[in-house]
Amino acid sequence: MAHPARRYNYLLGGKDNFAADRASADAIEKGMPTIRLAAMENRYFLQRAVRFLAEERGIRQFLDIGTGIPTADNTHQVAQRIDPAARIVYVDNDPIVLTHARALLTSTPEGVTAYIDADLREPRTILDDPEVRSTLDWTQPIAVMLVAVLHFIRDDEDPQGIVDTILAALPPGSYVVATHSTWEYLPAAAIEQLEAANPDGRFRARTGEQLGKLFSALDLLEPGVQSASEWWPDEASQPRPSIEDVAFNAIVGRVRATE
Ligand SMILES: C[S@@+](CC[C@H](N)C(=O)[O-])C[C@H]1O[C@@H](n2cnc3c(N)ncnc32)[C@H](O)[C@@H]1O
């Protein structure tokens, strides 16, 4: 059976994947020939967003849910280049990611990285986890990374309830970074092929409007819901790929101060 983490690893050009993951990725590529470019752009967005929050907003703590198999410039490497004392907890529910977790536990001596095996569909198990509680200081702002993971939450698994539970737990001044796959720019024939490549219905593309609604409790930073390709584009390599080719929407939002 294909696993999202290994399939994404294959799309990024990694070697930690099996035949079923490659076959699934190839089937997706039939409907969306730019899927590899999209995966890379999603990853570059994650790195730009971490840099932005660390450099421009002074964020020093990250809870990265749906980490994926470690690759170049994971959240802690980007954040700790800016401040070696940055603290990061990684979360994934894929046993394969767990077997690679050692590569994420390479913190600077001044900072901390931790990894927990937990499921986003049970957000309280993440928020109440002793390692999450003790590694991060819950009186200080935290950035929650939900990058390319919410599209693995089906509608009947209550994505809004999951997001709301996480937002309610965050200290004032915290941020959320999210990307979400979208099919809104694809022709009907491509969508048909992508649906055929999703036989178990595990994957659920959503529109930019749906992504914005999930995070309507946040103050979204400019430019609001935007293609991952276009978010903070001045810092991105040029020329930028089109939003149709990238097909990932992104947001960075700030938790509102409570009155
Ligand atoms: C496409 S990868 C994204 C990796 C990384 N966030 C990035 O954007 O580069 C999605 C990751 O989410 C994880 N994932 C999917 N469903 C999850 C869930 N319910 N709980 C925790 N992790 C999940 C998968 O195992 C996979 O590692």
Side-chain angles (χ1 to χ4, degrees), residues 160-187:
Q160 187 71 65
I162 293 169
V163 166
D164 290 346
T165 301
I166 294 173
L167 297 188
L170 291 175
S174 291
Y175 287 86
V176 176
V177 174
T179 66
H180 202 297
S181 198
T182 181
W183 290 349
E184 63 202 300
Y185 309 115
L186 299 179

Side-chain angles (χ1 to χ4, degrees), residues 5 8 42-43 66-68 92-94 118-121 147-149 152:
Y8 183 65
N42 173 72
R43 191 75 202 164
T67 303
D92 207 289
N93 71 339
D94 189 326
D119 196 314
L120 174 59
R121 289 169 293 181
V147 181
V149 64
F152 297 113

Side-chain angles (χ1 to χ4, degrees), residues 125-142:
T125 63
I126 299 174
L127 298 167
D128 296 338
D129 183 278
E131 197 146 12
V132 173
R133 301 307 308 174
S134 63
T135 306
L136 304 176
D137 176 352
W138 288 79
T139 67
Q140 296 300 314
I142 294 169

